Amino acid sequence: MSEQRDDEGIVLTEAQKRARRSRSIAIAFALAALVVLFYVMTLVKGPGVLIRPI
């Protein structure tokens, strides 16, 4: 019932590795831009954004 398999999983080609890396970098830049946008919008709204009824 037991099989002996030398299973390496999925092996990516160099082109696929480059595509994955560039996609990851693009996602990181988009996330960083979103964080900066939220931070800037909070600064623009001023401290009044913290003084509000709950």
Side-chain angles (χ1 to χ4, degrees):
M1 188 84 178
S2 65
E3 295 180 21
Q4 288 185 346
R5 293 183 354 180
D6 191 18
D7 211 9
E8 294 182 21
I10 297 173
V11 178
L12 299 177
T13 64
E14 288 302 315
Q16 290 171 325
K17 288 179 184 178
R18 281 193 303 272
R20 176 187 280 182
R21 179 168 171 76
S22 62
R23 202 168 35 246
S24 296
I25 290 171
I27 290 171
F29 278 134
L31 183 59
L34 193 60
V35 167
V36 169
L37 177 68
F38 288 163
Y39 182 72
V40 168
M41 289 305 298
T42 302
L43 290 179
V44 167
K45 287 187 173 195
V49 74
L50 298 175
I51 304 170
R52 60 184 175 156
I54 294 179

